[in-house]
Amino acid sequence: LRLFYRYRDLAPQLVPLDYTKEPDVKLPYELIGSMPELKDNPFRQRIAEVFSEDGEGNMSLDDFLDMFSVLSEMAPRDLKAYYAFKIYDFNNDDFLCKSDLEKTLSKLTRGELSEDEVKMVCEKVMDEADMDNDGRLSLEDFQHMIVRAPDFLSTFHIRI
Amino acid sequence: MLHKNSTLSYCLQSTKIHCLLLVFAHTVREFFFYRKEYKLFYQKILLICLFIPFLNESMSFLGDEQFEGGNKEKRHREKRRDGSKDRRKRANAKRRERSRADRENEEFEERLGKREKGRRGRVKNDQEAKKRDEQDSEDKENSEDKEVKPESLSPDELEKLKEAVDEKKKLIQSLRGKPWPMKKKLVTLQETLRIQSHDDQDFENFKTACIPWEMKIKEIESHFGSSVASYFIFLRWMYGINMILFGLTFGLVMVPEALMGRPYGSIPRKTVPRAEEASAMDFAVLWDFGGYAQYSVLFYGFYSNQRAIGWLKFRMPLSYFLVGVGTVAYSYMVVIRTMARNANESGVGDDNSFNFSWKMFTSWDYLIGNPETADNKFASITTCFKEAILEEQESRKDDNIHLTRFLRVLANFLVLCCLAGSGYLIYFVVRRSQKFALDGFENHTWWERNEVNMVMSLLGMFCPMLFDVISTLENYHPRVALQWQLGRIFALFLGNLYTFIIALMDEINVKREEENIVKFNITMWEASLYNGTVSENFTASPITIHPADVPRGPCWETMVGQEFVRLIISDTMTTYITLLIGDFLRAVLVRFLNHCWCWDLEAGFPSYSEFDVSGNVLGLIFNQGMIWMGAFYAPCLPALNVLRLHVSMYLQCWAVMCCNVPQERVFKASGSNNFYMAMLLVILFLSTLPNIYTIVTIPPSFDCGPFSGKNRMFDVIHETLESDFPAWFSKVFSYASNPGLVLPFILLMVLAIYYLQSTSKSYKEANVELKKKLQMVIQIMKIILLLPTTVNNWRNNNASFQGQEGEILLPKSRQLENESYSCLIIQTYCLRRKERVTFFSKKTYDNEVKKKSFPVVFSF
């Protein structure tokens, strides 16, 4: 219920209070991206794109709820890992290739690292996580690596 | 018109609030006076009915309060923030429709509302709690809400609300069509568990907020890396220790004497001598700790040697002695305990297998909602990556072992020469100054008079730079290089210490000789006093002489205390001034002169300074050594140090953030903590030595301090044992201090230490073995678990591969310790799954398999 109010607050003129008639309302990405929880997140665009139906970042109430339920405390680890994989997959090819990693890194450090450093880090990540040695990370590789991380659950979590 | 509406609504709400307050007060009164169940219940219902209707409206004008991370109770703040987010959202939405002028009015009302809120306090808390309960429709007990219990609400009401919410949720869920049957239960459970975990989380946050300077240090860590932050953590730890020392000395030594001892001016030692009285209040004298400052509780000389003072019969001399011993003992205990704890922590193995991947994918904290925190987080992520990259680079470095070794030996040799040279120089200069002192200082030039100080300062300035240059020869990991640098500068400063102690000893000897002369003079003076009166009857009441006129012996302990205090003060001033000039002024110059200078100041010569971790750490450690040495003679030293550290913390935090740039090579300071502790321990030991020497060998001054009149300072213990404790106790003690008993005891302790050390070593080895076995098991499990998927992937990706069906190629890894055993496991497993496994040795693999470009199915 709280989530619904939050959704509505983003654009009260668009969202009706009464949802029993199942209206087809989508909020554009700009409104979602301006929420205080997501405002400072470097991956907010990717998050919105992953959870929206049309892939552009325009979210309906269901998408909105889905997003926050996955990012909440109670979501199971595998579900979170699955969605995290999708978020970090910039070109939507179901694999994390080198360019995806580079983009992730540049978003994380806001371009502070030099070219060599970026390359080195991506190589290291590939070495560590790529189990089948095909030069890119599949979902299994990613999940295998992330479920062992001690703080994945606590960082991949938005409280609302 | 909107403006009028809002003011009207505000007035309405304020009246409602006032009514509420009255009702609430009435309820409370009734509760306390009558305590009848039904009445209570009725009143609760009344309250709730009053609360519910205007809750919705009242939240809006509280709207947009910014709760900054401050000293407000975090728990309260967390709850408020979460609850107020909804309101804020609503307020934001409403505001978007209004004009700017209206917005200002709104803010004004908000401020009024804030003041209202302050007054309302507790009532507001209840309201929020109630509102959230309503929204979540939980019949869980809200821990914040002590006054009104939600369970006593009519259960039907709650049920109805809950059902409505559930239906809505179900509707939403079914729209999505995802097959998560547990989800419904999870969502409803979400809120209950969220409230509980809220509380835990809030308490954790509160605890973190309680640690002083935590946010500052986190900020510094994110910008400058963990080595700089480790200095500040060390500083904070020192501050804690000094607080305790301060508590001890202040509470057990200074306060009793000040409150219960004889006041100023009652006995000779407590009064400024007549000769000095004229200048006793001058600022210059006070700054030098003479005059009134000298004859106060701040220094040793003030304390009278009365055995017991005041109505509590507080044993002052005993307490003084024990506090002196206790500070040292406490410091030893704390340092050693911290060392042990750090050693334990570093022994815990960390799983390094996915270091970089974890850094990349899990370092961003999605909970961050504050731009400043986000900035800090970005900086810290960058720093973290840089540190990890550096570690990686260092571990990859494989250079010529022989060249490196030769260079290192050369560097050490150079450093030793340097140290020996400076040591000899110091010795020479001290000897010369002793000679000068004998001749009398007036005969020599300014340089010769201050030679020792100047030489020490110059050495202190140039030698560290020299060591820095030499250390580039050695090519160590930056963390190791820092430790070497610290060690060398430490050795250099020991020379400093040596001169200081020598100088002090000389002065003490001079004072003691003076004392003998004065003692003699006093007897003469007293005789001359009584000459005028009846000479036989010495038991007659002594002639009252003003205490200021009595001739006084020189008090070497006070002099020592004064020297220490002066040293600390000058040290502090020097540090701050170098900080301001060296860092701040430099930064200002570089920033502003850059526009009109030939070459780029920021990139080129002066540029911004880096934070000198080693210099600062050493300064801190030596400072603490001085405190430990001087605390026995000047009880005010720990207090002074607490003040100094407090100011230092703020000043240095500001200076670091404002004038310094992060180092080029940022490294992780994991092992440094124990290193600082080790140096601290050495200094502690060195600083207790002179104290022990003086206590045991030099007799205390005859007319000042708590031990005056005794032969040795520790005689006070003897005295206490004899007179204050029952007779059998002293007998036991005298038996126990028999050398025949003490020596075997010491021997026993040495043997115990040896035994414990050997067992701990064997435990460590066993630990390492177990870790290796664990690693092996993990690797085997990796293979076994991933084998099916990797094989499938491989087959899917390499449909055109012309290899034999079902053959898996696994290179033998040199990491597998018990190779035959693990190969056996893998083979058995694969046979079960009807896969064939062929093991190649690494050589074969390198030469043949790779050439034929077989895809490697699995590698360790």
Side-chain angles (χ1 to χ4, degrees), chain B residues 438-540:
Chain B
L438 286 174
D439 292 344
F441 268 126
E442 296 74 27
N443 301 343
H444 298 277
T445 63
W446 175 86
W447 170 261
E448 279 157 353
R449 255 180 284 159
N450 292 334
E451 202 172 27
V452 180
N453 287 340
M454 292 309 295
V455 165
M456 299 304 322
S457 323
L458 285 173
L459 272 181
M461 259 201 286
F462 287 115
C463 277
M465 283 196 267
L466 194 63
F467 292 155
D468 218 356
V469 166
I470 293 179
S471 72
T472 54
L473 267 182
E474 292 177 327
N475 207 9
Y476 276 125
H477 186 289
R479 189 186 325 142
V480 178
L482 176 70
Q483 288 176 348
W484 276 98
Q485 177 83 346
L486 279 174
R488 287 170 187 153
I489 303 184
F490 185 77
L492 186 70
F493 280 176
L494 280 180
N496 210 347
L497 204 64
Y498 163 73
T499 55
F500 184 68
I501 293 185
I502 296 283
L504 268 184
M505 282 301 183
D506 282 345
E507 286 215 36
I508 291 178
N509 284 333
V510 163
K511 280 259 156 72
R512 284 179 59 204
E513 277 162 23
E514 232 181 87
E515 212 179 288
N516 288 334
I517 301 175
V518 168
K519 252 197 234 179
F520 181 68
N521 278 345
I522 282 187
T523 45
M524 299 274 289
W525 174 81
E526 271 186 358
S528 72
L529 265 185
Y530 286 121
N531 257 344
T533 60
V534 181
S535 43
E536 303 106 34
N537 202 354
F538 281 124
T539 53

Side-chain angles (χ1 to χ4, degrees), chain A residues 1-5 8 15-23 61-62 65, chain B residues 135 160-176 184 187-188:
Chain A
L1 200 62
R2 206 190 296 177
L3 284 175
F4 173 64
Y5 280 131
R8 183 153 182 277
V15 180
L17 259 177
D18 187 5
Y19 245 73
T20 47
K21 300 191 195 78
E22 299 181 20
L61 179 63
D62 311 326
L65 286 171
Chain B
Q135 281 195 332
K160 263 187 239 155
L161 279 164
K162 192 172 179 180
E163 276 172 26
V165 171
D166 273 353
E167 267 180 35
K168 199 144 197 125
K169 282 182 186 161
K170 278 185 196 156
L171 193 71
I172 291 166
Q173 292 303 321
S174 61
L175 282 174
R176 207 65 181 89
K184 292 168 204 164
V187 168
T188 47

